[in-house]
């Protein structure tokens, strides 16, 4: 059974990742936490890109796993995420966690509502973004999965579910993500999109789980989601991470979709990449 170390200190993320994997039938994949392994690390997230920070977190834990000679870890998985608001030129974006911490009472939702108080309904568009990195402590393979969930920012909070900015993020004119069941959130969320592809990759070596894509499409058709999200996948190797001979990922030969290079995924020598826009599938 593949074992994945989740390189995160955020309990909400960890819970969501477990739920997403369970919903996807991923019970034959074991998720472990740094705490369960007696590991503790909080690397500085110094990059201005989600991918950069996700990579910093994954690489830091890979280095620790190898330094402490922890055995049995097939992948280290990190998640960097945030909320982008068009009226704020994409802020807080990659800085969503510090934005929340700096807000009065740590209430990022209230701070965003206040910043956007004069922005009219039609101009409150935004998106949640999640970049998941899988890094192999064995051979330095690095895979990156990006999920995007578009929506708009509400004038007031609604709903008790989810965490962080969910109560102010409308996925349709009347519902925030925090008003969805966790199952419905995961079906459409940035993290659901990215994590499903990561799970697919761990299990099969294939990045796009088409059965899941079809499921999301049917939710879109049922009206649960107005604008479907976008998911991108890139696979590369970091020879410097773990010395060893090249081992090209198996799925590259099976790419079925147009290959593009979103800038968010730049910075590593990608062996192959696939971008799927759910709306078109
Ligand atoms: P780790 O780095 O330890 O994983 P973190 O909380 O520092 O945990 P990030 O740097 O990725 O994580 O910051 C993510 C920010 O975006 C944080 O403010 C979250 O509350 C917010 N966020 C992420 N995913 C979210 C989601 O699904 N719903 C609402 N807010 C979310």
């Amino acid at each position: 059974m593949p074992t994945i170390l989740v390189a995160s200190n955020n309990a909400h993320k960890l819970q969501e990742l477990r739920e997403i994997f369970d919903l996807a039938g991923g019970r034959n994949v074991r998720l472990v936490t740094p705490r369960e392994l007696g590991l503790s690390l909080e690397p500085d997230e110094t990059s201005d890109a989600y991918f950069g920070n996700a990579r910093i977190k994954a690489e830091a834990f890979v280095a620790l796993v190898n330094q402490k000679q922890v055995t049995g870890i097939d992948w280290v998985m990190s998640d960097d995420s945030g909320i982008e608001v068009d009226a704020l030129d994409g802020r807080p974006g990659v800085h969503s966690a510090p934005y929340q911490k700096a807000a009065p009472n740590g209430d990022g939702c209230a701070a965003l509502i206040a910043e956007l108080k004069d922005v009219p309904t039609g101009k409150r568009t935004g998106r949640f973004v999640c970049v998941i990195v899988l890094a192999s402590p064995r051979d330095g393979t690095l895979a990156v999965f990006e999920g995007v969930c578009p929506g708009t920012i509400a004038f007031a909070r609604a709903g008790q579910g989810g965490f962080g900015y969910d109560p102010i993020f409308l996925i349709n004119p009347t519902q925030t993500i925090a008003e969805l069941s966790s199952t419905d959130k995961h079906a459409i969320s940035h993290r659901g999109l990215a994590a499903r592809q990561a799970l697919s990759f761990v299990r099969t070596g294939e990045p796009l789980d088409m059965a899941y894509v079809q499921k999301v499409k049917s939710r879109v058709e049922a009206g649960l989601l107005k604008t479907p999200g976008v998911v991108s996948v890139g696979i590369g190797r970091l020879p410097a991470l773990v010395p060893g001979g090249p081992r090209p990922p198996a799925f590259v030969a099976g790419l079925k979709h147009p290959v593009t290079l979103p800038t968010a995924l730049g910075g590593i020598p990608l062996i192959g990449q696939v971008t799927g826009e759910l709306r078109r599938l």
Side-chain angles (χ1 to χ4, degrees):
M1 181 186 298
T3 298
I4 303 174
L5 169 62
V6 183
S8 174
N9 297 308
N10 184 319
H12 296 289
K13 280 186 188 176
L14 183 69
Q15 185 188 340
E16 289 205 348
L17 289 166
R18 278 196 199 286
E19 290 169 0
I20 292 164
F21 276 29
D22 281 355
L23 285 166
R27 287 185 190 85
N28 53 352
V29 172
R30 196 163 73 101
L31 291 186
V32 294
T33 64
R35 183 189 290 223
E36 284 162 6
L37 297 179
L39 302 175
S40 167
L41 195 62
E42 216 164 320
D44 285 341
E45 299 180 30
T46 50
S47 172
D48 280 334
Y50 302 105
F51 171 61
N53 286 329
R55 182 177 167 181
I56 286 170
K57 292 184 253 193
E59 286 186 32
F61 274 93
V62 163
L64 191 62
V65 161
N66 284 335
Q67 182 203 328
K68 302 251 178 199
Q69 300 185 333
V70 179
T71 53
I73 303 296
D74 298 292
W75 295 99
V76 168
M77 181 168 76
S78 62
D79 165 322
D80 202 66
S81 38
I83 186 169
E84 297 179 353
V85 181
D86 293 329
L88 303 176
D89 295 326
R91 278 197 306 112
V94 69
H95 305 297
S96 294
Y99 181 91
Q100 195 173 334
K101 275 187 205 124
N105 303 317
D107 189 345
C109 290
L112 265 189
I113 289 172
E115 269 211 83
L116 296 174
K117 69 178 183 340
D118 297 325
V119 178
T121 304
K123 301 215 163 129
R124 301 175 72 91
T125 51
R127 66 206 58 77
F128 273 123
V129 179
C130 173
V131 171
I132 287 181
V133 160
L134 284 174
S136 161
R138 299 203 170 119
D139 68 3
T141 296
L142 189 103
V144 53
F145 307 85
E146 182 181 50
V148 177
C149 179
T152 57
I153 313 304
F155 283 93
R157 71 177 72 222
Q160 304 296 322
F163 70 101
Y165 298 92
D166 284 342
I168 57 163
F169 191 81
L170 291 160
I171 41 104
N172 62 43
T174 56
Q175 269 181 314
T176 68
I177 285 206
E179 292 179 288
L180 300 181
S181 67
S182 54
T183 304
D184 283 346
K185 171 177 177 179
H186 303 329
I188 60 164
S189 79
H190 48 311
R191 183 163 298 104
L193 286 167
R196 281 297 311 235
Q197 311 316 317
L199 177 63
S200 178
F201 181 65
V202 166
R203 287 158 112 188
T204 68
E206 290 285 338
L208 272 185
D209 179 339
M210 294 311 288
Y212 176 68
V213 168
Q214 286 306 331
K215 203 163 141 191
V216 173
K217 192 174 167 234
S218 64
R219 282 172 190 270
V220 172
E221 284 163 0
L224 176 68
L225 180 66
K226 198 167 159 227
T227 321
V230 175
V231 57
S232 311
V233 181
I235 313 293
R237 280 192 75 252
L238 288 177
L241 195 61
V242 182
R247 194 202 62 141
F251 85 88
V252 169
L255 281 181
K256 300 180 195 90
H257 302 273
V259 174
T260 58
L261 281 173
T263 51
L265 306 182
I268 54 165
L270 294 177
I271 291 173
Q273 178 161 338
V274 54
T275 298
E277 189 176 341
L278 300 181
R279 193 193 327 224
R280 288 206 213 107
L281 292 169

